[in-house]
Amino acid sequence: MSSGTALASPLSQADEFNPFLAMAERFDVAADHLGLDRGVREVLRNPDRELTVSIPVMMDDGNLRVFKGYRVQHNFVRGPAKGGIRFAPDVHLDEVRALAAWMTWKCSVVNVPFGGGKGGVIVNPRELSKSELERLTRRYTTSIMDILGPDRDVPAPDMNTNEQTMAWLMDTYSMHVRRSTTAIVTGKPLALGGSRGRTEATGRGVMISCREALKKLGMRPENTRTVVQGSGNVGGIGALLLHREGYKVIAISDVSGGILDEKGLDMPAVLAWIKEHGSLADYKDADRISGAELLELDCDLLAPCATENQITSQNVDRIKAKLIVEGANGPTTAAADKKLEERGVLVVPDILANAGGVTVSYFEWVQDRMGYFWTEEIVNSRLEQSMVSAFYDVDKVAKKYGTSMRIAAYILAIDRVATAYRLRGVLS
Ligand code: NAD
């Protein structure tokens, strides 16, 4: 039974690419399995708070430009909002809403005491100088800081933002509140209270998810032809860790297109190339392929680690992978999901597979608040423990309800948030 506001039927093709509607469609299916009542459903499905800001920035040439930014806080029931900040030219409010909601579900799946939030600024960071980016980041932080705080909302990096962006954010917030507040943000440099293991955490979580999924399918890493879309923090590091575990990574891409080597790519050399040249374009020791061809390669494992809406109703019939592990948020549309499920393709969903990042972000926040920092071995072993137990928690729910791992992850997540909501009750 869907509530009055829920989507009555699968999304139309035009809506297929709206990430918030895609999130809501899965939410409704999971909520139906849980028999979630109408009121709680409405509370949990929709964002708690949305802020849109204009960000004036003095450009290097002396002209003033105004950028638009968002911060959406989806839910605080289990703890402060937590989620990254994305700089991209195509950021839009429904995307940020979806990303914020996915953060709520992701934190719940791995059982860290956070809610979900997300931020975005409409900007192509490649067109800005470093000092313009710094001014943009600082002014955006100032504009949203009334709703930020270590106990309220804790940002982190996402696409096109990094440790340096987080350092600027932390400094800006700290200068305003007149004390160094390291726990305001995660994904910071180690020198500013960052956590060991945070940079690799999402890629490591993807690698752990691949390993556990392979066990389920009775496959071995050395026989697993692997394709990775995206070669940034998640895809690049994920591919490197998979390569180290013996997977044959035959192709990887970035926004400029992909590279293919049927014998297996030399991943350390590929990453060294990207570090030196800033892109995969012109990489010499492999064949060039397009981004679309990469997704459709004959492979066993496909890890989309770039952006939303990559596996859709338009290309799903040509996707050959037996296993899809989602490093990116929302790479598979709801329509494509159904076809993959019918074909028996195992999809380890984003809210489980890429939760390594937020797990170590939580560890970073805990370390900042204790003022006591852990070794990389401790971080990695706690991450390992958390990812493996979340994987089997989701697997158990999938078996209990007879659903895909995606719907099972939503069921697990929504149930935990709904339980907390009912226990807290409603302030009138
Ligand atoms: P990033 O900016 O470090 O890297 C993004 C990569 O994707 C780059 O290689 C870029 O060239 C490529 N890319 C972008 N658009 C593309 C397109 N249309 N086709 C092919 N490649 C494209 O970003 P990231 O941090 O690696 O994030 C990637 C995804 O993972 C996003 O969906 C993000 O929300 C998600 N994610 C990131 C983290 C994290 O800790 N960084 C955690 C969880 C989820």
Side-chain angles (χ1 to χ4, degrees):
M1 252 170 330
S2 293
S3 81
T5 53
L7 298 162
S9 57
L11 301 175
S12 73
Q13 214 168 20
D15 289 337
E16 184 186 346
F17 298 98
N18 179 316
F20 186 73
L21 295 181
M23 184 290 298
E25 184 172 336
R26 276 80 168 242
F27 174 92
D28 286 336
V29 175
D32 286 347
H33 278 289
L34 286 167
L36 204 66
D37 64 80
R38 186 182 169 129
V40 176
R41 189 186 289 241
E42 274 204 49
V43 169
L44 301 191
R45 197 172 182 274
N46 294 304
D48 195 287
R49 179 150 57 178
E50 301 179 349
L51 183 60
T52 301
V53 292
S54 289
I55 313 159
V57 177
M58 191 58 77
M59 307 302 281
D60 293 343
D61 63 8
N63 286 315
L64 189 64
R65 259 182 79 183
V66 182
F67 297 86
K68 186 178 261 192
Y70 306 104
R71 184 73 189 171
V72 174
Q73 297 169 330
H74 174 259
N75 191 282
F76 305 94
V77 169
R78 302 177 76 251
K82 184 83 194 79
I85 292 170
R86 174 174 293 196
F87 287 173
D90 53 356
V91 164
H92 58 96
L93 189 52
D94 265 349
E95 179 188 42
V96 184
R97 283 183 179 131
L99 289 162
W102 283 324
M103 286 308 297
T104 303
W105 312 136
K106 194 179 303 183
C107 291
S108 180
V109 165
V110 284
N111 219 353
V112 302
F114 286 138
K118 204 82 180 190
V121 177
I122 305 173
V123 57
N124 183 350
R126 277 167 204 88
E127 290 171 359
L128 270 60
S129 69
K130 191 174 175 193
S131 54
E132 288 168 341
L133 271 178
E134 177 174 353
R135 290 195 289 278
L136 173 73
T137 305
R138 288 183 181 280
R139 185 59 192 251
Y140 169 66
T141 305
T142 307
S143 299
I144 64 170
M145 73 167 278
D146 282 348
I147 63 169
L148 300 183
D151 293 308
R152 304 168 92 191
D153 183 350
V154 184
D158 192 71
M159 280 177 80
N160 298 323
T161 56
N162 54 27
E163 283 191 353
Q164 179 61 74
T165 327
M166 299 305 114
W168 291 328
L169 196 156
M170 177 259 179
D171 181 68
T172 306
Y173 184 89
S174 297
M175 295 310 287
H176 280 287
V177 299
R178 299 271 179 243
R179 58 186 170 276
S180 290
T181 311
T182 52
I184 180 57
V185 74
T186 61
K188 298 178 294 294
L190 265 185
L192 289 179
S195 174
R196 290 186 172 77
R198 172 62 185 88
T199 308
E200 303 82 29
T202 311
R204 184 172 292 280
V206 168
M207 181 270 283
I208 294 168
S209 301
C210 290
R211 187 189 66 207
E212 299 309 313
L214 243 54
K215 284 186 198 159
K216 245 174 97 70
L217 296 174
M219 287 160 58
R220 299 170 65 86
E222 59 274 22
N223 300 330
T224 304
R225 286 159 54 85
T226 301
V227 169
V228 178
Q229 185 196 37
S231 47
N233 178 267
V234 184
I237 293 172
L240 180 68
L241 295 175
L242 289 170
H243 171 85
R244 281 195 197 141
E245 295 292 309
Y247 292 69
K248 200 167 163 188
V249 181
I250 59 166
I252 191 162
S253 64
D254 66 12
V255 75
S256 74
I259 55 171
L260 167 69
D261 183 346
E262 291 288 350
K263 297 191 298 298
L265 291 162
D266 177 352
M267 275 315 302
V270 172
L271 290 195
W273 178 275
I274 296 173
K275 197 167 176 197
E276 192 181 341
H277 299 89
S279 151
L280 271 177
D282 304 326
Y283 183 75
K284 301 280 181 293
D285 295 330
D287 298 326
R288 290 290 311 170
I289 51 171
S290 71
E293 286 167 336
L294 175 122
L295 293 171
E296 297 168 16
L297 285 171
D298 186 12
C299 66
D300 303 295
L301 162 62
L302 173 61
C305 299
T307 188
E308 296 99 65
N309 297 334
Q310 298 302 301
I311 302 171
T312 71
S313 57
Q314 282 151 35
N315 66 1
V316 64
D317 292 334
R318 299 190 297 279
I319 302 284
K320 298 179 190 70
K322 302 177 188 77
L323 167 64
I324 296 176
V325 177
E326 296 182 333
N329 287 307
T332 310
T333 68
D337 246 357
K338 288 186 191 113
K339 295 238 174 157
L340 292 169
E341 201 179 343
E342 278 161 27
R343 275 172 33 204
V345 176
L346 177 61
V347 179
V348 184
D350 45 11
I351 57 173
L352 170 62
N354 70 35
V358 78
T359 302
V360 176
S361 274
Y362 166 56
F363 296 161
E364 182 175 333
W365 180 82
V366 169
Q367 291 171 79
D368 287 337
R369 295 175 72 113
M370 287 195 298
Y372 177 71
F373 292 86
W374 310 346
T375 62
E376 188 160 350
E377 290 69 35
I378 291 180
V379 171
N380 287 346
S381 83
R382 288 180 178 161
L383 171 64
E384 163 86 26
Q385 216 176 4
S386 166
M387 288 300 299
V388 172
S389 68
F391 186 95
Y392 289 101
D393 284 350
V394 171
D395 193 46
K396 208 162 125 193
V397 173
K399 287 183 180 126
K400 178 174 168 193
Y401 287 89
T403 67
S404 66
M405 283 194 88
R406 177 165 341 259
I407 296 302
Y410 273 76
I411 292 174
L412 178 68
I414 294 167
D415 196 26
R416 284 181 178 155
V417 180
T419 301
Y421 188 75
R422 289 194 197 95
L423 284 167
R424 286 180 62 156
V426 184
L427 174 71
S428 318

